[in-house]
Amino acid sequence: MGWYNKRLAKSLWVFHVSGSPCNNCDIEILDLITPAFDVERFGLKLVGSIRHADVLLVTGIFNQKIAPRIKKIYEQAPKPIFVVAVGTCMSGDCCFKDSYNKVKKREDIIPIDLYIPGCPPKPEAMIAGVVKLIGVLNG
Amino acid sequence: MIGWKIFYLLVFPGLLFTGVLGLIVGWVDRKLSARLQFRVGPPFFQNFNDFLKLLGKETIIVKDSIKSVFVATPLAAFGFLVLISTMIGLALFFHEGFVGDLFVIMYLLMIFSVLVILGGSSTGNVYSSIGSGREIKLLLADELAFILICLIPIIKSGYQIQLKNILEVQSVQGPFISSVSGAIAFVIGILCIQAKMTLPPFHIPEAETEIVGGPYMEYSGPLLAFWQLNHYMMFVIYPFLLIALFLGGFDLHGIGILWAVLKYLLIIVIMILIKNTNPRIRIDTALNFFWRYATPISFIGIILAVFGV
Ligand code: SF4
């Protein structure tokens, strides 16, 4: 599978879904495709449909209402799919830690492969995270 | 004899040549678009990697879809494109063909659009159906103008309906683009190609930000890979057709090779420039444009061609 993983590492297509964030992380994610950071040089591309995606980018705490939908989106994705969690929200609840409606454990809903902390993380930090994923795939 | 035919179909100028050249030109498209937006752009083998990656992914056959149509359409479309590219390539590179091959090519190109429509509407997804509906409207818009501009070289070459003979007439008289009607037809032809390949500003059926990929939305894995490959193969087929009809084909001796590459690049670069400088238009604007302006202008072109201008 090594050969195929190398191909996969060179063309990760990203589908972005926001699971009740404060929306700042989503704005920062869009920075990644601007001329200053341009992740297309790594072969990353934002796609519009989950059926085309290799990476599921999630932001925010999952609240009770969005959790089943996230699960559904994950199940609709063609495997192999990697879940990248962007923001401190995903790794440590951040400013929503006392919310009454957040799910207890996000990992029960979908398996998460990579956390990128930061509130919001800088685009450089996100690129560093994605490059780590590429490095793991390349072995 | 039969061996050569298989070689033409599978290696040159058919499947392998068109596929590889298409993926390379697809890279030129992405790189140039990136440079126009002051980005760096993808590496050279990007499209090959995309294609190979998609081949290895899981294929999800949608539960609500008409399964046979869902699976068959991308593959059938691929087969038709290989056939078209072989026919155009045979006329361009080997000066071979049969009487009326130009009509067969026009007919098969239309079947490709029909297959996109079928594939999109077989998925049972609302957005895909909307995309298919838009594809039908776009086909209605550009088809008449496209057929009319294909008639102009036929008239100018003294009613030859074989690509080979059209090319021969051009090698004697000079390319048709040097005449008024030929130039009109070439310009309209590039716009029609833009619509037929659903490139911006005519990417109304796909509209990633609006109906998330339209007909291709539900496709995943190898089937999506074939749709992608089809798209890139059209980057070869349509420019080659225009070169054969208006720019006098390829002369593959000495300096002629350079000219051949330049002709091809000229059309590609014009297409990419139009693509990068225009936002998406509404479907009624597209219909308006083709029926009000492009089609009457190509009629005028035909009249001019009949009078030999
Ligand atoms: S991590 Fe911070 S910026 Fe990102 S969604 Fe959560 S609160 Fe907003």
Side-chain angles (χ1 to χ4, degrees):
Chain A
M1 283 312 277
W3 185 82
Y4 180 68
N5 282 351
K6 284 205 173 66
R7 301 281 85 73
L8 188 59
K10 288 200 178 74
S11 98
L12 291 169
W13 289 1
V14 180
F15 181 76
H16 167 207
V17 54
S18 50
S20 57
C22 79
N23 216 247
N24 237 338
C25 280
D26 308 85
I27 296 169
E28 289 297 310
I29 286 168
L30 291 186
D31 274 359
L32 289 179
I33 50 174
T34 55
F37 300 104
D38 184 31
V39 285
E40 207 189 5
R41 58 205 155 104
F42 305 118
L44 268 71
K45 187 167 105 171
L46 271 186
V47 290
S49 162
I50 183 65
R51 303 271 196 219
H52 306 176
D54 309 297
V55 173
L56 181 62
L57 211 67
V58 283
T59 56
I61 59 158
F62 294 167
N63 64 22
Q64 303 286 358
K65 212 162 185 178
I66 196 109
R69 297 186 169 111
I70 300 257
K71 194 171 168 57
K72 209 168 177 181
I73 286 180
Y74 179 78
E75 280 160 1
Q76 282 177 343
K79 311 290 175 294
I81 182 119
F82 307 101
V83 183
V84 176
V86 175
T88 313
C89 267
M90 283 304 288
S91 39
D93 287 355
C94 198
C95 46
F96 302 114
K97 67 177 187 306
D98 296 327
S99 288
Y100 64 94
N101 59 353
K102 73 179 173 59
V103 296
K104 285 273 154 355
K105 194 157 170 262
R106 281 175 292 273
E107 286 77 0
D108 286 346
I109 301 185
I110 50 173
I112 295 173
D113 298 303
L114 176 75
Y115 293 92
I116 303 175
C119 181
K122 290 188 119 192
E124 289 92 337
M126 290 191 221
I127 293 178
V130 170
V131 167
K132 278 207 185 86
L133 178 64
I134 293 175
V136 169
L137 280 175
N138 276 333
Chain B
M1 196 57 217
I2 194 83
W4 274 109
K5 277 183 185 150
I6 290 173
F7 175 79
Y8 289 151
L9 196 65
L10 292 185
V11 183
F12 183 89
L15 196 152
L16 200 65
F17 173 72
T18 318
V20 171
L21 185 63
L23 289 176
I24 291 174
V25 171
W27 171 77
V28 172
D29 165 36
R30 286 174 74 173
K31 184 81 180 175
L32 203 58
S33 304
R35 292 309 300 159
L36 287 170
Q37 297 162 2
F38 300 103
R39 293 189 286 118
V40 179
F44 182 75
F45 285 109
Q46 185 60 48
N47 281 328
F48 294 93
N49 285 331
D50 284 354
F51 180 71
L52 292 172
K53 173 207 74 176
L54 283 174
L55 281 186
K57 293 267 294 186
E58 181 192 8
T59 312
I60 297 174
I61 311 262
V62 186
K63 196 175 146 204
D64 293 338
S65 66
I66 308 167
K67 293 181 184 61
S68 49
V69 181
F70 183 79
V71 176
T73 39
L75 303 173
F78 177 67
F80 279 122
L81 286 188
V82 169
L83 204 60
I84 301 168
S85 65
T86 313
M87 278 157 63
I88 297 178
L90 277 181
L92 271 176
F93 296 111
F94 300 105
H95 296 284
E96 279 181 35
F98 52 90
V99 177
D101 55 358
L102 180 55
F103 291 138
V104 178
I105 289 169
M106 280 151 68
Y107 173 71
L108 290 178
L109 282 172
M110 193 164 153
I111 287 194
F112 177 79
S113 301
V114 174
L115 283 174
V116 173
I117 293 162
L118 268 182
S121 44
S122 72
T123 57
N125 184 306
V126 182
Y127 289 118
S128 292
S129 321
I130 294 175
S132 297
R134 291 181 180 189
E135 179 85 31
I136 295 176
K137 286 166 204 142
L138 201 60
L139 182 67
L140 288 178
D142 62 34
E143 191 63 28
L144 185 56
F146 184 68
I147 291 175
L148 288 180
I149 64 118
C150 285
L151 290 182
I152 289 177
I154 296 180
I155 296 170
K156 288 196 76 69
S157 62
Y159 301 95
Q160 299 286 353
I161 51 170
Q162 196 173 346
L163 267 183
K164 184 185 80 170
N165 295 351
I166 292 178
L167 283 169
E168 268 167 18
V169 173
Q170 288 190 76
S171 63
V172 178
Q173 294 180 358
F176 289 147
I177 193 175
S178 53
S179 64
V180 178
S181 55
I184 291 175
F186 182 72
V187 172
I188 303 280
I190 285 204
L191 292 169
C192 284
I193 285 183
Q194 206 85 5
K196 282 198 165 289
M197 287 183 59
T198 60
L199 289 177
F202 301 108
H203 56 320
I204 314 163
E206 287 170 26
E208 282 268 310
T209 48
E210 190 185 340
I211 51 170
V212 284
Y216 313 121
M217 179 186 180
E218 290 286 347
Y219 281 94
S220 59
L223 295 178
L224 181 67
F226 276 103
W227 277 129
Q228 292 265 326
L229 187 62
N230 290 346
H231 180 75
Y232 289 129
M233 278 170 75
M234 287 200 289
F235 266 115
V236 178
I237 289 171
Y238 279 113
F240 273 18
L241 185 61
L242 275 197
I243 289 171
L245 289 182
F246 301 110
L247 296 185
F250 295 143
D251 171 27
L252 293 174
H253 301 104
I255 196 80
I257 295 177
L258 184 67
W259 275 114
V261 174
L262 279 182
K263 276 176 194 168
Y264 183 49
L265 276 183
L266 173 82
I267 296 181
I268 292 290
V269 168
I270 293 177
M271 282 163 66
I272 295 172
L273 284 182
I274 296 177
K275 174 187 160 186
N276 275 292
T277 45
N278 287 284
R280 181 167 65 242
I281 55 177
R282 285 198 318 275
I283 188 74
D284 58 330
T285 326
L287 273 171
N288 210 359
F289 171 74
F290 277 108
W291 284 359
R292 255 225 207 119
Y293 303 106
T295 312
I297 290 175
S298 27
F299 258 121
I300 295 172
I302 286 198
I303 294 168
L304 288 178
V306 170
F307 288 113
V309 183

